[in-house]
């Protein structure tokens, strides 16, 4: 297997600086012009946030016009992240959890074990879409993933992400009766995206109580386990990647096989599925 170089830094122990991946590298030769682009999927395991972020930046900076798009599937150790618009007053009690000021969009969120993150390294110009359409497709993929577990995922106008009805959620305000189960944070640079989507599977949700999630004091955060869905991290990751690939690649992976293959290359995605 090859290795994706995730550099050590002050917040990344040297032993976790290199993460094993599928046999391909961000520097792999670009696809020839006029050929179908495959969507490459990488499973990074558990990796530090800063190391993964820097690797995304290097990948994007080194892209060529025909570099295949990639999805990176990862789980992070505990970390709070502030987006470009993030305000420190939304960090209520960080205790000993690291805080990273990131270049993604949005306010403050928490990443930790039991959460599936999919980072989306896409050339939006080649896909012919803008960021609003990208967000819509990601949200659709999350809702389809949740539906496969009989969970009712919903959008809330003006608040990107996916929400679910939950009796324990605050009943007042813009989220009345709903809790957030998936968060989005995107950065677009020269028409290419970094960062992506986080879906809560089976987490320690207490750190979310030490922030105003996404900048909202009234927002309750939830995961599949709290909803009574005994899903495994790997299974949720497989289902989410399969749905994302259906919406963002020129081809659709066979069900359950998205993470088993380096390149997804089956039947073209139908426009009506978007």
């Amino acid at each position: 297997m090859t290795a994706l170089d995730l550099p050590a830094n002050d917040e990344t122990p040297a032993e976790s600086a290199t993460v094993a991946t599928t046999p391909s590298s961000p520097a792999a030769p670009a696809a020839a012009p006029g050929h179908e682009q495959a969507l490459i999927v990488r499973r990074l395991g558990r990796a530090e946030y800063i190391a993964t972020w820097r690797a995304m930046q290097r990948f994007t900076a080194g892209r060529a016009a025909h570099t295949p798009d990639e999805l990176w599937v990862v789980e992070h150790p505990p970390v709070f992240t502030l987006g470009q618009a993030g305000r420190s007053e939304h960090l209520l009690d960080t205790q000993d959890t690291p805080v990273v000021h990131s270049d993604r969009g949005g306010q403050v969120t928490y990443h930790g074990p039991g959460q599936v993150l999919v980072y989306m390294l896409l050339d939006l110009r080649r896909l012919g879409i803008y960021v609003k359409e990208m967000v819509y497709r990601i949200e659709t993929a999350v809702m389809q993933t949740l539906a496969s577990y009989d969970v009712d995922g919903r959008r809330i106008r003006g608040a990107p992400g996916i929400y679910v009805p939950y009796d324990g959620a605050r009943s007042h305000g813009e989220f009345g009766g709903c809790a957030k189960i998936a968060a989005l944070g995107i950065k677009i640079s020269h028409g290419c995206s970094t960062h992506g989507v986080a879906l809560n599977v089976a987490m320690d949700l207490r750190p979310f109580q030490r922030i105003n999630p996404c900048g909202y004091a009234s927002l309750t955060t939830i995961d599949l386990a709290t909803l009574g869905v005994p899903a495994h991290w790997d299974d949720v990751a497989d289902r989410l990647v399969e749905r994302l690939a259906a919406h963002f690649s020129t081809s659709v992976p066979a069900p359950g096989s998205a993470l088993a293959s380096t390149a997804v290359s089956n039947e073209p995605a139908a426009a009506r599925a978007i």
Side-chain angles (χ1 to χ4, degrees):
M1 297 180 73
T2 59
L4 179 65
D5 180 28
L6 301 183
N9 54 54
D10 291 343
E11 300 179 51
T12 306
E15 60 267 24
S16 66
T18 301
V19 178
T21 68
T22 50
S24 182
S25 77
H35 288 258
E36 182 179 275
Q37 289 286 343
L39 181 64
I40 294 173
V41 178
R42 301 178 186 278
R43 182 191 288 273
L44 305 185
R46 186 173 294 185
E48 295 285 342
Y49 180 87
I50 289 179
T52 310
W53 172 26
R54 297 306 184 201
M56 284 191 286
Q57 290 177 319
R58 290 196 306 274
F59 173 88
T60 302
R63 289 191 72 131
H66 301 287
T67 300
D69 291 335
E70 299 198 3
L71 302 181
W72 292 2
V73 188
V74 65
E75 184 182 39
H76 289 314
V79 62
F80 293 115
T81 68
L82 280 165
Q84 289 182 324
R87 297 201 302 248
S88 58
E89 59 260 36
H90 293 307
L91 295 166
L92 307 179
D93 181 16
T94 60
Q95 297 182 12
D96 58 352
T97 302
V99 177
V100 176
H101 292 260
S102 177
D103 63 350
R104 63 165 174 80
Q107 277 284 341
V108 61
T109 195
Y110 169 75
H111 300 308
Q115 181 186 64
V116 171
L117 287 107
V118 183
Y119 290 128
M120 311 192 60
L121 308 179
L122 308 177
D123 186 334
L124 301 190
R125 294 170 298 187
R126 189 168 61 210
L127 288 169
I129 64 174
Y130 294 100
V131 67
K132 184 176 181 180
E133 174 69 14
M134 180 184 179
V135 168
Y136 181 86
R137 294 189 191 191
I138 294 172
E139 290 176 339
T140 299
V142 173
M143 289 191 294
Q144 290 170 340
T145 301
L146 294 174
S148 72
Y149 294 103
D150 295 320
V151 173
D152 178 20
R154 304 177 180 182
R155 293 182 176 91
I156 291 180
R157 184 182 296 274
I162 295 300
Y163 305 79
V164 296
Y166 177 55
D167 289 341
R170 296 175 177 86
S171 59
H172 62 279
E174 58 268 66
F175 305 104
C178 286
K180 191 165 192 174
I181 196 167
L184 280 70
I186 305 294
K187 177 178 174 60
I188 308 298
S189 179
H190 304 293
C192 295
S193 65
T194 52
H195 300 283
V197 58
L199 176 56
N200 304 335
V201 180
M203 304 180 67
D204 177 359
L205 295 171
R206 290 174 296 179
F208 285 104
Q209 299 171 7
R210 297 192 272 120
I211 60 174
N212 291 328
C214 305
Y216 294 100
S218 62
L219 180 58
T220 300
T221 305
I222 198 71
D223 61 8
L224 285 171
T226 305
L227 295 172
V229 178
H232 292 286
W233 191 97
D234 287 335
D235 182 62
V236 176
D238 284 345
R239 296 190 194 195
L240 179 57
V241 167
E242 189 273 331
R243 287 289 82 216
L244 288 168
H247 289 285
F248 287 102
S249 71
T250 57
S251 20
V252 181
S257 67
L259 296 182
S261 174
T262 302
V264 172
S265 179
N266 295 323
E267 293 302 317
R272 62 178 178 274
I274 294 171

